[in-house]
Amino acid sequence: DAGVIQSPRHEVTEMGQEVTLRCKPISGHNSLFWYRQTMMRGLELLIYFNNNVPIDDSGMPEDRFSAKMPNASFSTLKIQPSEPRDSAVYFCASSFQTGSSNTGELFFGEGSRLTVL
Amino acid sequence: AQTVTQSQPEMSVQEAETVTLSCTYDTSENNYYLFWYKQPPSRQMILVIRQEAYKQQNATENRFSVNFQKAAKSFSLKISDSQLGDTAMYFCAWTNAGKSTFGDGTTLTVKP
């Protein structure tokens, strides 16, 4: 079975440009998470969805960041306009959660390394 | 808010020896899960081992085992017979209701 698929793996862009990162979760998983990893701040949860509905977006840095999950098999994280401080590795992860069985194990994609010049 | 602390930013171990990575956490919840994830240089995070907080028995997965001390809120990872492929960054994570909090990670280098 395919794992979590993210694209692009690498993105280099100039300040002010729009960036869109994409994620396809594991089929059957009902929760999706976007994380950002930097040397300074470690792994930060940006937003997570359950059954395509955003549950907690308190980690989204500012209005320049937005995330959508139009269906169970696709999510996007958009940064507009991008800034050099947005440079990081962005991970998407998915999991399967039910009320009675909720181990919380996350399955990660390979990440998208973003460099904003 | 939950916090997870990994006090060892970097560690090294000789191949075939044993190493222990430390993790402490702070929570007022009684039911939760704890995880160790491995992030090799290839960057993808993969699960190493999982512990349910309601289980007193320490989890074991082949060469990997944990020492879970619930009262002390401690969750250390022991790697026995270290192999070169164990070189990676290791993250401790606390999870409740599907949401995870990660420590800052420990970079482990296994030396030949």
Side-chain angles (χ1 to χ4, degrees):
Chain A
D1 191 15
V4 175
I5 300 172
Q6 291 186 246
S7 65
R9 284 218 67 194
H10 303 275
E11 174 91 6
V12 180
T13 191
E14 293 189 347
M15 184 173 63
Q17 295 298 306
E18 179 179 291
V19 173
T20 299
L21 307 179
R22 299 172 177 80
C23 176
K24 176 179 169 57
I26 291 174
S27 177
H29 281 188
N30 61 357
S31 293
L32 183 140
F33 304 79
W34 282 101
Y35 283 89
R36 178 172 67 177
Q37 186 178 35
T38 61
M39 290 290 292
M40 293 297 295
R41 301 173 70 94
L43 264 170
E44 303 174 273
L45 176 64
L46 299 177
I47 186 171
Y48 86 91
F49 297 84
N50 185 257
N51 293 321
N52 311 339
V53 176
I55 302 300
D56 184 350
D57 66 354
S58 59
M60 296 286 264
E62 47 198 272
D63 292 345
R64 298 185 297 107
F65 285 69
S66 62
K68 293 182 179 179
M69 192 165 186
N71 57 62
S73 59
F74 184 66
S75 177
T76 60
L77 177 67
K78 187 175 293 186
I79 308 172
Q80 166 63 19
S82 58
E83 297 182 3
R85 60 192 170 118
D86 302 330
S87 297
V89 180
Y90 291 82
F91 286 99
C92 176
S94 69
S95 70
F96 178 71
Q97 299 178 24
T98 67
S100 59
S101 175
N102 186 8
T103 69
E105 178 183 350
L106 295 174
F107 294 79
F108 285 84
E110 293 182 317
S112 295
R113 181 180 295 279
L114 173 65
T115 302
V116 183
L117 304 175
Chain B
Q2 278 66 230
T3 58
V4 177
T5 301
Q6 294 179 246
S7 58
Q8 305 149 314
E10 295 182 358
M11 294 191 72
S12 64
V13 63
Q14 290 296 134
E15 194 175 7
E17 293 187 350
T18 296
V19 64
T20 298
L21 309 183
S22 301
C23 173
T24 58
Y25 58 94
D26 186 24
T27 183
S28 58
E29 301 285 344
N30 192 46
N31 295 318
Y32 49 88
Y33 292 84
L34 295 163
F35 299 86
W36 280 97
Y37 289 91
K38 170 184 177 181
Q39 186 179 36
S42 65
R43 205 168 75 196
Q44 187 170 18
M45 301 261 283
I46 53 177
L47 178 69
V48 175
I49 198 165
R50 167 178 57 223
Q51 174 79 43
E52 292 91 338
Y54 62 86
K55 288 187 176 179
Q56 291 186 333
Q57 185 174 6
N58 289 324
T60 299
E61 288 286 342
N62 300 314
R63 299 183 295 107
F64 299 87
S65 62
V66 299
N67 183 2
F68 175 46
Q69 304 283 335
K70 190 172 184 179
K73 297 179 182 176
S74 171
F75 182 60
S76 61
L77 174 69
K78 186 171 83 170
I79 306 174
S80 304
D81 185 25
S82 298
Q83 300 176 359
L84 296 178
D86 295 333
T87 292
M89 195 159 188
Y90 288 81
F91 290 91
C92 177
W94 176 99
T95 301
N96 175 263
K99 192 173 172 182
S100 298
T101 300
F102 286 82
D104 288 338
T106 296
T107 299
L108 175 67
T109 302
V110 180
K111 299 180 178 178

